[in-house]
Coordinates of all heavy atoms in Angstrom, one line a residue:
M13 N -234.2 100.7 188.7 CA -233.1 100.0 189.3 C -233.5 99.4 190.6 O -234.1 100.0 191.4 CB -231.9 101.0 189.5 CG -230.7 100.3 190.0 SD -229.3 101.6 189.9 CE -228.0 100.6 190.5
L14 N -233.0 98.2 190.8 CA -233.4 97.5 192.0 C -232.5 98.0 193.2 O -231.3 98.0 193.0 CB -233.1 96.0 191.8 CG -233.6 95.0 192.9 CD1 -235.1 95.1 193.1 CD2 -233.2 93.6 192.5
A15 N -233.1 98.3 194.3 CA -232.3 98.8 195.4 C -231.6 97.6 196.1 O -232.2 96.5 196.2 CB -233.2 99.5 196.4
A16 N -230.4 97.8 196.5 CA -229.6 96.7 197.1 C -230.3 96.2 198.4 O -230.2 95.1 198.7 CB -228.2 97.2 197.4
A17 N -231.0 97.1 199.0 CA -231.7 96.7 200.3 C -232.8 95.8 200.1 O -233.3 95.1 201.0 CB -232.2 98.0 201.0
D18 N -233.3 95.7 198.8 CA -234.5 94.9 198.6 C -234.2 93.4 198.2 O -235.1 92.6 198.1 CB -235.3 95.4 197.4 CG -235.9 96.8 197.7 OD1 -236.0 97.1 198.9 OD2 -236.2 97.5 196.7
V19 N -232.9 93.1 198.1 CA -232.5 91.7 197.8 C -231.7 91.1 198.9 O -231.1 91.8 199.7 CB -231.7 91.7 196.5 CG1 -232.6 92.1 195.3 CG2 -230.5 92.5 196.6
A20 N -231.7 89.8 198.9 CA -230.9 89.0 199.9 C -229.5 89.3 199.7 O -229.0 89.4 198.6 CB -231.2 87.5 199.8
T21 N -228.8 89.5 200.8 CA -227.3 89.8 200.7 C -226.5 88.6 201.3 O -225.3 88.6 201.1 CB -227.0 91.1 201.5 OG1 -227.4 90.9 202.8 CG2 -227.6 92.3 200.8
D22 N -227.1 87.7 201.9 CA -226.4 86.6 202.5 C -226.3 85.5 201.5 O -226.9 84.4 201.5 CB -227.1 86.0 203.8 CG -226.3 85.0 204.4 OD1 -225.1 84.9 204.2 OD2 -226.9 84.2 205.2
D23 N -225.4 85.6 200.6 CA -225.1 84.6 199.5 C -223.7 84.0 199.7 O -223.3 83.3 198.8 CB -225.3 85.2 198.1 CG -224.3 86.3 197.9 OD1 -223.7 86.8 198.8 OD2 -224.2 86.7 196.7
E24 N -223.1 84.3 200.8 CA -221.7 83.8 201.0 C -221.7 82.3 201.2 O -220.6 81.8 201.2 CB -221.1 84.6 202.1 CG -221.1 86.1 201.9 CD -220.2 86.5 200.7 OE1 -219.2 85.9 200.4 OE2 -220.6 87.6 200.1
H25 N -222.8 81.7 201.5 CA -222.8 80.3 201.8 C -223.1 79.4 200.6 O -223.2 78.2 200.8 CB -223.8 80.0 203.0 CG -223.4 80.8 204.2 ND1 -224.1 81.9 204.5 CD2 -222.4 80.6 205.1 CE1 -223.6 82.4 205.6 NE2 -222.6 81.7 206.0
D26 N -223.3 80.0 199.4 CA -223.5 79.2 198.2 C -222.2 78.6 197.8 O -221.3 79.4 197.4 CB -224.2 80.1 197.2 CG -224.5 79.3 195.9 OD1 -224.2 78.0 195.9 OD2 -225.0 79.8 194.9
P27 N -222.0 77.3 197.8 CA -220.7 76.8 197.4 C -220.4 76.9 195.9 O -219.3 76.7 195.5 CB -220.8 75.3 197.9 CG -222.2 75.0 197.9 CD -222.9 76.3 198.2
E28 N -221.4 77.1 195.2 CA -221.3 77.2 193.7 C -221.5 78.6 193.3 O -222.4 79.3 193.8 CB -222.2 76.2 193.0 CG -222.0 74.8 193.4 CD -222.9 73.9 192.7 OE1 -223.5 74.2 191.7 OE2 -223.2 72.8 193.2
G29 N -220.8 79.0 192.3 CA -221.1 80.3 191.7 C -220.5 81.5 192.5 O -219.9 81.3 193.5
H30 N -220.7 82.7 191.9 CA -220.2 83.9 192.6 C -221.2 84.5 193.5 O -222.4 84.2 193.4 CB -219.8 84.9 191.5 CG -218.8 84.4 190.5 ND1 -217.5 84.2 190.9 CD2 -218.9 84.0 189.2 CE1 -216.8 83.8 189.8 NE2 -217.7 83.7 188.8
T31 N -220.7 85.3 194.4 CA -221.6 86.0 195.3 C -222.3 87.2 194.6 O -221.9 87.6 193.5 CB -220.8 86.6 196.5 OG1 -219.9 87.6 195.9 CG2 -220.0 85.6 197.2
I32 N -223.4 87.6 195.2 CA -224.1 88.7 194.6 C -223.2 90.0 194.6 O -223.3 90.7 193.6 CB -225.4 89.0 195.4 CG1 -226.4 87.9 195.2 CG2 -226.0 90.3 195.0 CD1 -227.6 87.9 196.1
A33 N -222.4 90.2 195.6 CA -221.5 91.3 195.6 C -220.6 91.3 194.4 O -220.3 92.3 193.8 CB -220.7 91.4 196.9
W34 N -220.0 90.1 194.1 CA -219.1 89.9 193.0 C -219.8 90.2 191.7 O -219.3 90.9 190.8 CB -218.6 88.5 193.0 CG -217.5 88.3 191.9 CD1 -216.1 88.5 192.1 CD2 -217.7 87.9 190.6 NE1 -215.5 88.2 190.9 CE2 -216.4 87.9 190.0 CE3 -218.8 87.6 189.8 CZ2 -216.2 87.5 188.7 CZ3 -218.6 87.2 188.5 CH2 -217.3 87.2 187.9
E35 N -221.1 89.7 191.6 CA -221.8 89.9 190.3 C -222.1 91.4 190.2 O -222.1 92.0 189.1 CB -223.2 89.2 190.4 CG -223.0 87.7 190.4 CD -222.6 87.1 189.1 OE1 -222.6 87.8 188.1 OE2 -222.4 85.9 189.0
R36 N -222.4 92.1 191.3 CA -222.7 93.6 191.2 C -221.5 94.3 190.8 O -221.5 95.3 190.0 CB -223.1 94.1 192.6 CG -224.6 93.9 192.9 CD -225.0 94.8 194.0 NE -226.4 94.3 194.4 CZ -226.7 93.8 195.6 NH1 -225.7 93.7 196.5 NH2 -227.9 93.5 195.8
Q37 N -220.3 93.9 191.3 CA -219.1 94.6 190.9 C -218.8 94.4 189.4 O -218.4 95.3 188.7 CB -217.9 94.0 191.6 CG -217.9 94.5 193.1 CD -216.7 93.9 193.9 OE1 -216.2 92.9 193.5 NE2 -216.3 94.6 195.0
Q38 N -219.1 93.2 188.9 CA -218.9 92.9 187.4 C -219.8 93.8 186.6 O -219.4 94.4 185.6 CB -219.1 91.4 187.1 CG -218.1 90.5 187.8 CD -216.7 90.8 187.4 OE1 -216.4 90.8 186.2 NE2 -215.8 91.1 188.4
I39 N -221.1 93.9 187.0 CA -222.1 94.7 186.3 C -221.7 96.1 186.3 O -221.8 96.8 185.3 CB -223.5 94.4 186.8 CG1 -223.9 93.0 186.5 CG2 -224.5 95.4 186.3 CD1 -225.1 92.5 187.2
A40 N -221.3 96.6 187.5 CA -220.9 98.0 187.6 C -219.7 98.3 186.7 O -219.6 99.4 186.0 CB -220.5 98.3 189.0
A41 N -218.7 97.4 186.6 CA -217.6 97.6 185.7 C -218.0 97.6 184.3 O -217.5 98.5 183.5 CB -216.5 96.5 185.9
L42 N -218.9 96.7 183.9 CA -219.4 96.7 182.5 C -220.2 98.0 182.2 O -220.0 98.6 181.1 CB -220.3 95.5 182.3 CG -219.6 94.2 182.2 CD1 -220.7 93.0 182.2 CD2 -218.7 94.0 181.0
R43 N -221.0 98.5 183.1 CA -221.7 99.7 182.9 C -220.8 100.9 182.8 O -221.0 101.7 181.9 CB -222.6 99.9 184.2 CG -223.5 101.2 184.1 CD -224.0 101.6 185.4 NE -222.8 101.8 186.3 CZ -222.8 101.6 187.6 NH1 -223.9 101.2 188.2 NH2 -221.7 101.8 188.3
D44 N -219.8 100.9 183.6 CA -218.8 102.1 183.5 C -218.1 102.0 182.2 O -217.8 103.1 181.6 CB -217.8 102.0 184.7 CG -218.5 102.3 186.0 OD1 -219.7 102.7 186.0 OD2 -217.9 102.0 187.1
A45 N -217.7 100.8 181.7 CA -217.0 100.7 180.5 C -217.9 101.2 179.3 O -217.5 101.9 178.4 CB -216.5 99.3 180.2
A46 N -219.1 100.7 179.3 CA -220.1 101.1 178.3 C -220.3 102.6 178.3 O -220.4 103.3 177.3 CB -221.4 100.4 178.5
S47 N -220.4 103.2 179.5 CA -220.6 104.6 179.6 C -219.4 105.4 179.1 O -219.6 106.4 178.3 CB -220.8 105.0 181.1 OG -221.0 106.4 181.2
A48 N -218.2 104.9 179.3 CA -217.0 105.6 178.8 C -217.0 105.5 177.3 O -216.6 106.5 176.6 CB -215.8 105.0 179.4
T49 N -217.3 104.3 176.7 CA -217.4 104.2 175.3 C -218.4 105.1 174.7 O -218.2 105.7 173.6 CB -217.7 102.7 174.9 OG1 -216.7 101.9 175.5 CG2 -217.7 102.5 173.4
L50 N -219.6 105.2 175.3 CA -220.6 106.1 174.8 C -220.1 107.5 174.7 O -220.3 108.3 173.8 CB -221.9 106.0 175.6 CG -223.0 106.8 175.2 CD1 -223.5 106.5 173.7 CD2 -224.2 106.7 176.1
T51 N -219.5 107.9 175.8 CA -218.9 109.3 175.9 C -217.9 109.5 174.8 O -218.0 110.6 174.1 CB -218.3 109.5 177.3 OG1 -219.2 109.4 178.3 CG2 -217.6 110.9 177.3
E52 N -217.1 108.6 174.5 CA -216.1 108.7 173.4 C -216.8 108.8 172.1 O -216.3 109.6 171.3 CB -215.2 107.5 173.4 CG -214.1 107.4 174.5 CD -213.3 106.1 174.4 OE1 -213.5 105.3 173.5 OE2 -212.5 106.0 175.3
L53 N -217.8 108.1 171.9 CA -218.5 108.1 170.6 C -219.3 109.5 170.4 O -219.3 110.0 169.3 CB -219.4 106.9 170.4 CG -218.7 105.6 170.3 CD1 -219.7 104.4 170.3 CD2 -217.9 105.6 169.0
V54 N -219.9 110.0 171.5 CA -220.5 111.3 171.4 C -219.5 112.4 171.1 O -219.8 113.2 170.3 CB -221.3 111.6 172.7 CG1 -221.7 113.0 172.8 CG2 -222.5 110.6 172.9
E55 N -218.3 112.3 171.7 CA -217.3 113.2 171.4 C -216.8 113.1 170.0 O -216.5 114.1 169.3 CB -216.1 113.1 172.4 CG -216.5 113.5 173.8 CD -215.5 113.2 174.9 OE1 -214.5 112.5 174.6 OE2 -215.7 113.6 176.1
A56 N -216.7 111.9 169.5 CA -216.3 111.6 168.1 C -217.3 112.2 167.1 O -216.9 112.8 166.1 CB -216.1 110.1 167.9
E57 N -218.6 112.1 167.5 CA -219.6 112.7 166.6 C -219.5 114.2 166.5 O -219.6 114.8 165.5 CB -221.0 112.3 167.1 CG -222.1 112.7 166.2 CD -223.5 112.2 166.7 OE1 -223.6 112.1 167.9 OE2 -224.3 112.0 165.9
A58 N -219.1 114.8 167.7 CA -218.9 116.3 167.7 C -217.7 116.6 166.8 O -217.7 117.6 166.1 CB -218.7 116.7 169.1
R59 N -216.7 115.8 166.8 CA -215.5 116.0 166.0 C -215.9 115.9 164.5 O -215.4 116.6 163.6 CB -214.3 115.1 166.4 CG -213.7 115.5 167.7 CD -212.3 114.8 167.9 NE -212.4 113.3 167.9 CZ -212.8 112.6 168.9 NH1 -213.1 113.1 170.1 NH2 -212.8 111.3 168.8
L60 N -216.8 114.9 164.2 CA -217.2 114.7 162.8 C -218.0 116.0 162.4 O -217.7 116.5 161.3 CB -218.2 113.6 162.8 CG -217.7 112.2 162.4 CD1 -218.7 111.1 162.5 CD2 -217.0 112.2 161.1
D61 N -218.8 116.5 163.2 CA -219.6 117.7 162.9 C -218.6 118.9 162.7 O -218.9 119.8 161.9 CB -220.6 118.1 164.0 CG -221.7 117.1 164.0 OD1 -221.9 116.3 163.0 OD2 -222.4 117.0 165.1
A62 N -217.6 119.0 163.5 CA -216.6 120.1 163.5 C -215.6 119.9 162.3 O -214.8 120.8 162.1 CB -215.9 120.2 164.8
G63 N -215.6 118.7 161.7 CA -214.6 118.5 160.6 C -213.2 118.1 161.1 O -212.3 118.2 160.3
T64 N -213.1 117.7 162.4 CA -211.8 117.4 162.9 C -211.6 115.9 163.2 O -210.6 115.5 163.7 CB -211.5 118.2 164.2 OG1 -212.5 117.9 165.2 CG2 -211.5 119.7 164.0
Y65 N -212.7 115.1 162.9 CA -212.6 113.7 163.1 C -211.4 113.1 162.3 O -211.3 113.4 161.1 CB -213.9 113.0 162.7 CG -213.9 111.5 163.0 CD1 -214.1 111.0 164.3 CD2 -213.6 110.6 162.0 CE1 -214.0 109.7 164.6 CE2 -213.6 109.2 162.3 CZ -213.8 108.8 163.6 OH -213.8 107.4 163.8
G66 N -210.6 112.3 162.9 CA -209.5 111.6 162.2 C -208.2 112.4 162.4 O -207.1 111.9 162.0
S67 N -208.3 113.6 163.0 CA -207.0 114.3 163.3 C -206.7 114.1 164.8 O -207.6 114.2 165.7 CB -207.2 115.8 163.1 OG -207.4 116.0 161.7
C68 N -205.5 113.8 165.1 CA -205.1 113.6 166.5 C -205.3 114.9 167.3 O -204.9 116.0 166.9 CB -203.7 113.2 166.6 SG -203.1 112.9 168.3
A69 N -205.9 114.8 168.5 CA -206.2 115.9 169.4 C -205.0 116.4 170.0 O -204.9 117.5 170.5 CB -207.2 115.5 170.4
V70 N -203.9 115.6 170.0 CA -202.6 116.0 170.7 C -201.7 116.6 169.7 O -201.2 117.8 169.8 CB -202.0 114.9 171.4 CG1 -200.7 115.3 172.0 CG2 -202.9 114.3 172.5
C71 N -201.3 115.9 168.6 CA -200.3 116.3 167.7 C -200.9 116.8 166.4 O -200.1 117.3 165.5 CB -199.3 115.2 167.4 SG -200.0 113.8 166.4
N72 N -202.2 116.7 166.2 CA -202.9 117.2 165.0 C -202.6 116.4 163.7 O -203.0 116.8 162.6 CB -202.7 118.7 164.8 CG -203.9 119.3 164.1 OD1 -205.0 118.8 164.3 ND2 -203.6 120.4 163.4
R73 N -201.8 115.3 163.8 CA -201.5 114.5 162.7 C -202.7 113.6 162.4 O -203.6 113.4 163.3 CB -200.3 113.6 162.9 CG -199.0 114.4 162.9 CD -197.8 113.5 162.9 NE -196.6 114.3 163.2 CZ -195.8 114.0 164.2 NH1 -195.9 113.0 165.0 NH2 -194.7 114.8 164.4
E74 N -202.8 113.0 161.2 CA -203.9 112.1 160.8 C -203.8 110.8 161.6 O -202.7 110.2 161.7 CB -203.8 111.8 159.3 CG -205.0 111.1 158.8 CD -204.9 110.9 157.3 OE1 -204.4 111.8 156.6 OE2 -205.4 109.9 156.8
I75 N -204.9 110.4 162.1 CA -205.0 109.1 162.8 C -205.2 108.0 161.7 O -206.0 108.2 160.8 CB -206.2 109.0 163.8 CG1 -206.0 110.1 164.8 CG2 -206.3 107.7 164.4 CD1 -207.2 110.3 165.7
S76 N -204.5 106.9 161.8 CA -204.6 105.9 160.7 C -206.0 105.3 160.6 O -206.7 105.2 161.6 CB -203.6 104.7 161.0 OG -204.0 104.0 162.1
T77 N -206.3 104.9 159.4 CA -207.7 104.3 159.2 C -207.8 103.0 160.0 O -208.9 102.7 160.5 CB -207.8 104.0 157.7 OG1 -207.7 105.2 156.9 CG2 -209.2 103.5 157.4
A78 N -206.7 102.2 160.1 CA -206.8 101.0 160.8 C -207.1 101.3 162.3 O -207.9 100.5 162.9 CB -205.5 100.2 160.7
R79 N -206.5 102.3 162.8 CA -206.8 102.7 164.3 C -208.3 103.1 164.4 O -209.0 102.8 165.4 CB -205.9 103.8 164.7 CG -206.1 104.2 166.2 CD -204.9 104.9 166.7 NE -205.1 105.5 168.0 CZ -205.1 104.9 169.2 NH1 -204.9 103.6 169.2 NH2 -205.4 105.5 170.3
L80 N -208.7 103.9 163.5 CA -210.1 104.4 163.5 C -211.1 103.3 163.3 O -212.2 103.3 163.9 CB -210.3 105.5 162.5 CG -209.6 106.9 162.8 CD1 -209.8 107.8 161.7 CD2 -210.2 107.5 164.1
D81 N -210.7 102.3 162.5 CA -211.6 101.1 162.3 C -211.7 100.4 163.6 O -212.8 99.9 164.0 CB -211.1 100.2 161.2 CG -211.3 100.8 159.8 OD1 -212.1 101.8 159.7 OD2 -210.7 100.3 158.9
A82 N -210.6 100.2 164.3 CA -210.6 99.5 165.6 C -211.2 100.2 166.7 O -211.9 99.7 167.6 CB -209.2 99.0 165.9
L83 N -210.9 101.6 166.8 CA -211.3 102.4 167.9 C -212.0 103.7 167.3 O -211.4 104.7 167.3 CB -210.2 102.8 168.7 CG -209.4 101.7 169.4 CD1 -208.1 102.2 170.0 CD2 -210.2 101.0 170.5
P84 N -213.2 103.6 166.8 CA -213.8 104.7 166.1 C -214.0 106.0 167.0 O -214.1 107.1 166.5 CB -215.2 104.2 165.7 CG -215.4 102.9 166.3 CD -214.1 102.4 166.8
G85 N -213.9 105.8 168.3 CA -214.1 106.9 169.2 C -212.8 107.5 169.7 O -212.8 108.5 170.4
T86 N -211.7 107.0 169.2 CA -210.4 107.5 169.6 C -210.1 109.0 169.1 O -210.6 109.4 168.1 CB -209.2 106.6 169.2 OG1 -208.0 107.1 169.9 CG2 -209.0 106.7 167.7
A87 N -209.5 109.7 170.0 CA -209.2 111.1 169.7 C -207.7 111.3 169.4 O -207.3 112.4 169.1 CB -209.7 112.1 170.8
T88 N -206.9 110.3 169.6 CA -205.5 110.4 169.5 C -204.9 109.4 168.6 O -205.4 108.3 168.4 CB -204.8 110.3 170.8 OG1 -205.1 109.0 171.4 CG2 -205.2 111.4 171.8
C89 N -203.7 109.7 167.9 CA -203.0 108.7 167.1 C -202.3 107.7 168.1 O -202.3 108.0 169.3 CB -202.0 109.4 166.2 SG -200.6 110.1 167.1
V90 N -201.8 106.7 167.5 CA -201.2 105.6 168.3 C -200.0 106.1 169.1 O -199.8 105.7 170.2 CB -200.9 104.3 167.5 CG1 -199.8 104.6 166.5 CG2 -200.6 103.2 168.3
N91 N -199.2 107.0 168.5 CA -198.0 107.5 169.2 C -198.4 108.4 170.4 O -197.8 108.3 171.4 CB -197.2 108.4 168.2 CG -196.5 107.5 167.2 OD1 -196.2 106.4 167.4 ND2 -196.3 108.1 166.0
C92 N -199.4 109.2 170.3 CA -199.9 110.0 171.4 C -200.6 109.2 172.4 O -200.7 109.6 173.6 CB -200.7 111.2 170.9 SG -199.8 112.4 169.9
A93 N -201.2 108.1 172.1 CA -201.9 107.3 173.0 C -201.0 106.5 174.0 O -201.4 106.1 175.0 CB -202.8 106.3 172.3
R94 N -199.7 106.4 173.6 CA -198.7 105.7 174.4 C -198.3 106.4 175.6 O -198.3 107.6 175.6 CB -197.5 105.3 173.6 CG -197.8 104.3 172.5 CD -196.5 103.8 171.8 NE -196.9 102.9 170.8 CZ -196.3 102.9 169.5 NH1 -195.4 103.8 169.2 NH2 -196.7 102.0 168.7
Ligands
ZN234 ZN1 -200.9 112.3 167.9

C-alpha cells in the first residue's frame, strides 16, 4: 500500500477532475463495501455448512429464492430486513 506521505497532496489547483483526497475517499468506500460483502459471503458459507442457509436468522422462516438470488449473502428475509 502506498503511504499517503509519499505522494503529492497539493492537487487542489487542478481545474479538471477530482482531488486526490476525493479519489481516496471513493476507493476507501469501495474497499469497505467489498469487505462487508466478503464478510457476508463467508458467514453465508458457514450457514451452508451448518445447514441453515436460506432460513432467516431473525424469524427462522424461509428466505425467498429471488432474494437469495439477488443477495446470496443475506441472513434475513425481506420482512426482517425492513
Ligand atoms: Zn425473517
Side-chain angles (χ1 to χ4, degrees):
M13 184 173 182
L14 187 61
D18 294 339
V19 296
T21 55
D22 184 19
D23 62 345
E24 302 297 328
H25 301 102
D26 181 359
E28 298 178 24
H30 299 290
T31 64
I32 290 172
W34 188 90
E35 297 285 355
R36 278 198 191 115
Q37 288 177 336
Q38 296 301 303
I39 291 168
L42 290 171
R43 179 199 59 212
D44 293 347
S47 179
T49 300
L50 179 60
T51 298
E52 286 177 2
L53 292 175
V54 168
E55 291 171 355
E57 188 176 29
R59 290 194 300 278
L60 269 174
D61 291 343
T64 59
Y65 183 79
S67 296
C68 177
V70 176
C71 70
N72 210 29
R73 290 190 190 123
E74 188 175 329
I75 301 172
S76 73
T77 303
R79 179 164 171 79
L80 290 173
D81 285 346
L83 300 167
T86 190
T88 58
C89 70
V90 69
N91 289 331
C92 293
R94 288 185 184 139

